[in-house]
Amino acid sequence: RMEVYYGTRQRPRSYVNTALVVCNVIVFIVLELMGSTQDSWFMVNHGASFAPYILEGGKEYMRLLYSVFLHFGPEHLFHNMIGLFFIGDNLERAMGHIRYLAFYLLCGVGASVCSMTVHAFVEPFTVSAGASGAICGVVGGLLWVVMANRGRLEEMTTGRVAFLIFYLIYGGLQSTGVDNIAHISGALLGFILAWILYDPFAGL
């Protein structure tokens, strides 16, 4: 299904995507006022993913969700929120508000689970946080939705989305301190979840 907007008609607003961006920014500001978001142990104490705390002791499984809304410093937050702001609205309009929210959270938590599981065996004391797993999920979901709409959704095309996925994963692999497991698993989960959740007749 292709949606075309004529003249001065505005596209439907993406309330959920905007709220997610605002929520991430508010959480970051609050934590910065309390301490330093670039301090690993400060982040662990405020919900970052940390395998020993999740798998042992208190079984703190909610960290898998909390960590999706935490960021290490302003640059980390800025890059993630710019990406989410400019691509999330397309998917929300295609999926609808409620489905998009469920999709985003499932991608974020799913990427956290994959990342934590791998790190538990390889580097158990890794501290992980950020929305990038969920955002890669959004890009993976966009790929399926664009394909389902014969290669185009608004200004998005299959080629553009595929290149964006390649850029995100390749850029992560070339950088240090990046949770590539979360990126790759997020993109795969997004593609699969969009195949399950996307209904071309349920958009806004």
Side-chain angles (χ1 to χ4, degrees), residues 4-23:
V4 181
Y5 301 91
Y6 296 96
T8 59
R9 181 185 173 187
Q10 293 185 342
R11 297 175 178 176
R13 293 182 179 179
S14 304
Y15 300 106
V16 172
N17 196 63
T18 301
L20 288 169
V21 172
V22 171
C23 183

Side-chain angles (χ1 to χ4, degrees), residues 1 92-97 99 197-204:
R1 182 178 64 123
E92 182 179 347
R93 283 191 289 271
M95 297 187 80
H97 302 304
R99 290 187 187 211
L197 295 174
Y198 176 60
D199 179 352
F201 301 104
L204 304 185

Side-chain angles (χ1 to χ4, degrees), residues 37-53 63 67 70 72 76 115 119 123-130 177-179:
T37 56
Q38 298 186 65
D39 182 327
S40 295
W41 281 110
F42 174 80
M43 295 294 277
V44 168
N45 290 331
H46 291 85
S49 179
F50 187 59
Y53 285 9
R63 287 178 177 273
S67 62
L70 304 180
F72 292 105
H76 187 204
S115 171
H119 285 138
E123 298 174 330
F125 295 103
T126 297
V127 180
S128 181
V178 175
D179 193 342

